[in-house]
Amino acid sequence: MSGRGRYLADLAAGALSVVFVRSAVPHALINTIDTSAAVGMPGVVGVYTGADLGLVNDHIAELHVPHPAFVDATAFRMAEQRLAIMPTDRVHYVGQPLVALIAVDRYTAEDAMEAVDITYSPLAPCLDADAALREDATPIHRHLRDNEAASIHIEFGGLTPDVTADLTVEGTYRIGRHGAVPLEGRGVLARVDARRVSVWTSTQIPHMVRRGICEATGWATEEVRVAVPDVGGGFGTKANVYAEEIVIAALARRTGRDLVWVEDRQEHLVSAAQGRDQTHRTRLAVDGEGQIVHWADDFTVDIGAGGLWVAGVVANTAIHALGPYRVPRARITGRAAFTNKTITAQYRGAGRPEACFALERSLDDAARRLGLSGAEIRRRNLLTAEDLPYPRPLPYRDGVDVVFDGGDYAGCLEAALELLPVEEIEALQDDHPDLQVGHGVGCYLEATGRGPYETGRVRLMSTGQFEVSSGAASAGQAHETAFAQVAADALRVDLARVRVRQADTDLVEHGIGTFASRSAVLAGSAIRKAADEVRTLATARAAELLGAPVHAVELNDGIFRSHIGEPGSGGVGWDDVARAAAPGGAHEELGPLDVTEVFRPQTVTWTMGAHAAVVGVHRRTGAVRVLAYAVAHEGGVEINPQVVEGQVIGGVAQGIGGTLMEEFRYSPQGQPQSTTFADYLLPSTCDVPEVRVRHLGVDTPGNPLGVRGAGESGTIAVAAAVAAAVEHALGDRVQVTETPISPALLRTALRQEQRA
Amino acid sequence: MTVEQTDAPQIQHVRLTTTVNGNVVTVHVPPRLTLADLLRDELRLTGTHLGCEHGVCGACTVLVDGDSVRACLMFAVQVEGRQVSTIEGLEACATTARLKEAFTRHHGLQCGFCTPGMLVVATELIDGSDPRVPLTETCVREALSGNACRCTGYQGIVRAVLDAADPSPEGAP
């Protein structure tokens, strides 16, 4: 807060600047790349194309492969992706890096960029997932037969003739293309010495970045260190391995110079991984009481030119399409398509908000036709304490059969309605005569804390302080606080004695990273295991120092005491244990206390929640304002309630952005239109209301801390709840089927209403 | 592909004398150097963050002669003879200190990238307001509407500013 944070760009002093010349066209063959004019310019150190990088592997491998049991059960298929790190023959989206230019400073580098001349033979761009998946569509990737990036098929229950529904509603629901857009863009710094390359990158997954660099360059793991500085927000777009990370590392070693690339905003909006962009075609059958009889959802995902997490997004979408309800029969199918848009990754929720929107909108549609409220139809379908745990007839991505392990989902909806009752619209309507006010709800289910594992390390330093590290990089999730708390509790010391280091492959050799609401669950549990082990080892050492048997020694408030012998006699502190472990100490030969543990969960834990929204639609303009918002969620044990609440509220803000404002738009020719913050709109202080949060703690035996993930809970049901509230505000004269919600659509409905 | 020339190109430099955080600074800068880059790259005051470099996000907000400006939209040469205060220089400011405490208490930051800009604008808001008239939530939200935060949903930030603005010894409830 005093300007002492150290983000990537703050470390740049002394390094040469790298800028990337990027593709200006969405789909084309590259005829020529002429860098000769740029090379000779004053201040330019070097100009490199993909052919100059000397990579042993010119693309980045997929980052997630589902378990074979999941693949079998869901007929999951995935195409091999070979999007070139810096292509020399063909471009697949505007923003794709083609040339890396090194100069003494960024001003000089940007001047020289203008002198790089690239000529193209344009190809027809493919900008629509449905068009891309048509049988006659030309594949945009030459090594593939079609544009299908992945597909999935889940079916159970079956629609036998004895199954009868009283009402069937069909719909097509679209979730626009939006994304993480953290306030700090990406950035990479590489410093070289004779032995290896050290890379600082604004990432959530340093170990995967190290692997990506090694696979592309052919270097041994020991030749690369990846460290994470302070990160100015990630939300999934930084849980990716990027071409720029590999190019900067490779060029640093090639030139022997320290290099830095700091992404600017325009670059970020065309080249950092995006998200969402799904279409769901649904068919929901209910009985006369509104109870779900059969649910069918066929979806497509536009992953752009590539998405290393396509398996995660497609699987997430399909599994979460089942929702927190009693669904006796379902048929969920989905396909991901390659198009000539920017690459994608797992943006906060990663398939969950999209699936939630489709199911929740369908429920609201059925409710309206049955004359039920949105809350009522959910009450009749939500799982209750009697239903839970609720097994589903399919495995999760990790191969373990899905069992929703919650407390009382119907009770959670009631909690949200208590926080924000429908009656509150009357007062808000009086306060806002220019708006038409309505109330809506949405429910979601979220698998959190996915494996395979995470590493945690706890070290007792010679000062008696502790240092904690893990593979989960912090990008504002307050790991410093939460992880320190976990360790301090296990070590029975004051929080001030524990320091949490930022993720660094030198500190923990193996790790996965921060995404999918997994850090508290996995890294937290690994740190807990490591801290427990440090305590156990230290107790034995303290017993020796005390001259007491181990079983007689207890640790309280940071002091080991023996309950045998003189009461009130002195104890041994962590400082003493640390001193004894140092050279010259009693335990010199045992060495320092330094424990690394791996936590591997058996499977995911499920977090359920309900959102309630009150919105106002401006009577003349159709602009939507969210006036009040509430989230009730079934989390587990909260390590730090303020951190969890902050994650939920921040998630709601991003959900509101995606529902009302944010969209990566493309021209019909494939040119990105959302390339500044004047076009890609982030929600401001005036677009986000106070959010009321209630935490309904439901412990889980799945990890030693009893925690459930919460990082995505705030985002998932926002579009569903806001859409329902908008329809309510307009007296159901409009059906909201798309985000971002178009004020023009609402204006039309308002005019019809005024005429009527 | 590599040329062994790493000298900066010959761009005419301009002599600039300005006061940054109370210290008189004289430097020679290219006319096109932005104030943000002067602060960050030349003076190593990296608390001024760059979130968009086109004047929308507010992360680079600093005070020039007491008024908030976007350091990314101003050229360094425009602060000739003027007083610039960055987040580092507000270390001694009592209002900013109160705000920092309140931000911590109300969880007004997560990643911290927007925080310096938020603190600069909030300091200007509080110090420029009549202390006898309490700030309202609406007023705080409007004053901060030019500063984007992607993490917090603003709730903790708004509460922190209201808290820090309250002159009563206990602060806002």
Side-chain angles (χ1 to χ4, degrees), chain A residues 1-2 7 10 43-44 47-48 104 106-107 111 179-180 265 476 642 646 650 654 662 677 683 685 688 690-691, chain B residues 1-3 6-7 32 34 37 40 46 51 53-54 100 104-105 110-112 141 145 150-151 154-155 159:
Chain A
M1 269 193 287
S2 307
Y7 300 89
D10 307 338
V44 171
V47 188
Y48 304 88
V104 288
R106 194 166 136 200
Y107 288 75
D111 286 347
R265 184 54 58 183
Q642 210 181 23
Q654 288 188 0
E662 298 175 35
F677 274 164
T685 44
V688 181
E690 281 268 319
V691 179
Chain B
M1 278 293 159
T2 309
V3 290
T6 57
D7 297 335
R32 64 178 180 172
T34 66
D37 288 346
R40 290 181 48 81
T46 53
E53 295 177 273
H54 50 253
K100 286 181 193 172
T104 304
R105 210 162 39 245
Q110 288 180 27
C111 82
R141 284 189 180 267
S145 64
R150 194 58 165 159
C151 298
Y154 303 104
Q155 199 152 315
R159 283 184 187 166

Side-chain angles (χ1 to χ4, degrees), chain A residues 464-706:
Chain A
Q465 309 275 310
F466 296 91
E467 209 176 79
V468 169
S469 41
S470 82
S474 182
Q477 294 91 346
H479 290 174
E480 307 76 19
T481 313
F483 292 171
Q485 250 173 278
V486 167
D489 284 354
L491 299 162
R492 319 240 161 93
V493 294
D494 195 69
L495 202 58
R497 284 181 87 112
V498 182
R499 191 162 77 102
V500 177
R501 297 274 306 263
Q502 254 297 24
D504 183 333
T505 57
D506 270 6
L507 288 174
V508 292
E509 202 176 339
H510 305 285
I512 303 290
T514 298
F515 53 88
S517 306
R518 72 192 295 280
S519 290
V521 180
L522 278 94
S525 297
I527 289 164
R528 172 60 183 266
K529 277 177 76 180
D532 282 345
E533 181 62 14
V534 166
R535 193 186 64 233
T536 304
L537 294 171
T539 306
R541 293 189 185 190
E544 228 181 282
L545 295 175
L546 288 163
V550 177
H551 62 82
V553 175
E554 267 186 42
L555 172 64
N556 284 306
D557 298 328
I559 307 288
F560 297 90
R561 283 195 178 82
S562 165
H563 56 72
I564 301 174
E566 299 284 307
S569 65
V572 164
W574 282 108
D575 305 28
D576 302 307
V577 175
R579 248 192 311 279
H587 298 136
E588 179 187 286
E589 77 287 358
L590 294 175
L593 278 169
D594 180 352
V595 175
T596 300
E597 289 279 348
V598 167
F599 176 69
R600 188 176 284 277
Q602 203 223 333
T603 184
V604 291
T605 66
W606 296 85
T607 302
M608 185 271 172
H611 289 204
V614 173
V615 307
V617 182
H618 194 272
R619 291 179 194 277
R620 196 165 39 77
T621 63
V624 178
R625 255 182 80 189
V626 182
L627 300 172
Y629 208 93
V631 178
H633 71 117
E634 275 197 353
V637 171
E638 292 180 301
I639 300 169
N640 183 317
Q642 210 181 23
V643 168
V644 177
E645 189 172 299
Q647 286 289 316
V648 172
I649 296 169
V652 170
Q654 288 188 0
I656 289 174
T659 305
L660 299 177
M661 312 161 73
E662 298 175 35
E663 190 172 30
F664 290 110
R665 294 186 174 83
Y666 285 80
S667 76
Q669 293 75 37
Q671 285 294 334
Q673 306 292 287
S674 310
T675 60
T676 72
F677 274 164
D679 306 298
Y680 190 93
L681 301 176
L682 297 181
S684 81
T685 44
C686 297
D687 302 310
V688 181
E690 281 268 319
V691 179
R692 307 163 197 179
V693 181
R694 186 173 298 167
H695 177 82
L696 304 164
V698 178
D699 204 350
T700 168
N703 61 75
L705 300 171

Side-chain angles (χ1 to χ4, degrees), chain A residues 11-328:
Chain A
L11 309 175
L16 296 171
S17 268
V18 179
V19 292
F20 287 93
V21 181
R22 296 175 182 278
S23 173
V25 295
H27 196 199
L29 300 175
I30 299 170
N31 297 334
T32 55
I33 302 179
D34 182 0
T35 61
S36 55
V39 168
M41 288 174 74
V44 171
V45 178
V47 188
Y48 304 88
T49 68
D52 305 319
L53 296 175
L55 300 177
V56 298
N57 211 336
D58 80 336
H59 62 272
I60 305 165
E62 69 278 339
L63 297 172
H64 176 61
V65 180
H67 190 277
F70 179 84
V71 171
D72 284 349
T74 64
F76 181 82
R77 282 186 314 192
M78 176 161 85
E80 192 203 351
Q81 296 189 33
R82 291 192 208 152
L83 193 64
I85 288 167
M86 284 214 294
T88 51
D89 54 348
R90 188 174 174 134
V91 295
H92 285 96
Y93 61 98
V94 173
Q96 190 169 16
L98 299 178
V99 174
L101 189 151
I102 307 174
V104 288
D105 61 48
R106 194 166 136 200
Y107 288 75
T108 307
E110 289 189 7
D111 286 347
M113 268 171 89
E114 304 290 325
V116 174
D117 190 26
I118 302 172
T119 59
Y120 306 95
S121 294
L123 299 168
C126 184
L127 302 164
D128 176 77
D130 289 327
L133 291 170
R134 271 202 291 269
E135 267 182 28
D136 59 348
T138 311
I140 67 166
H141 293 294
R142 258 179 305 188
H143 68 288
L144 297 175
R145 276 181 298 125
D146 56 35
N147 289 314
E148 186 181 286
S151 67
I152 197 164
H153 183 127
I154 294 172
E155 189 156 9
F156 60 84
L159 255 188
T160 47
D162 58 309
V163 179
T164 51
D166 294 294
L167 173 68
T168 300
V169 290
E170 294 186 4
T172 300
Y173 299 102
R174 261 202 58 73
I175 296 86
R177 192 177 191 86
H178 55 275
V181 191
L183 206 55
E184 181 209 30
R186 296 175 295 150
V188 185
L189 168 72
R191 296 195 189 275
V192 280
D193 56 41
R195 226 159 38 85
R196 61 177 188 169
V197 180
S198 297
V199 178
W200 287 260
T201 175
S202 189
T203 189
Q204 299 166 245
I205 51 169
H207 292 81
M208 291 196 202
V209 171
R210 181 182 60 178
R211 192 183 74 195
I213 291 171
C214 290
E215 283 175 358
T217 56
W219 302 343
T221 304
E222 300 77 44
E223 291 177 90
V224 194
R225 168 192 173 201
V226 177
V228 183
D230 288 336
V231 173
F235 319 113
T237 198
K238 292 182 185 171
N240 199 28
V241 178
Y242 282 106
E244 291 88 345
E245 291 170 319
I246 290 158
V247 173
I248 299 292
L251 287 179
R253 182 167 261 194
R254 190 190 153 120
T255 60
R257 308 293 297 263
D258 294 350
L259 302 179
V260 68
W261 163 67
V262 179
E263 183 179 60
D264 74 19
R265 184 54 58 183
Q266 191 266 345
E267 231 181 342
H268 182 86
L269 292 171
V270 298
S271 62
Q274 307 177 349
R276 312 275 191 262
D277 206 350
Q278 296 195 5
T279 303
H280 289 244
R281 292 175 177 85
T282 64
R283 191 166 188 276
L284 175 69
V286 296
D287 66 17
E289 302 298 309
Q291 298 194 55
I292 298 168
V293 171
H294 186 264
W295 165 234
D297 182 358
D298 180 40
F299 65 90
T300 55
V301 189
D302 182 337
I303 68 156
L308 302 173
W309 288 105
V310 64
V313 173
V314 168
N316 265 348
T317 308
I319 289 176
H320 291 85
L322 297 173
Y325 304 104
R326 280 182 296 273
V327 178

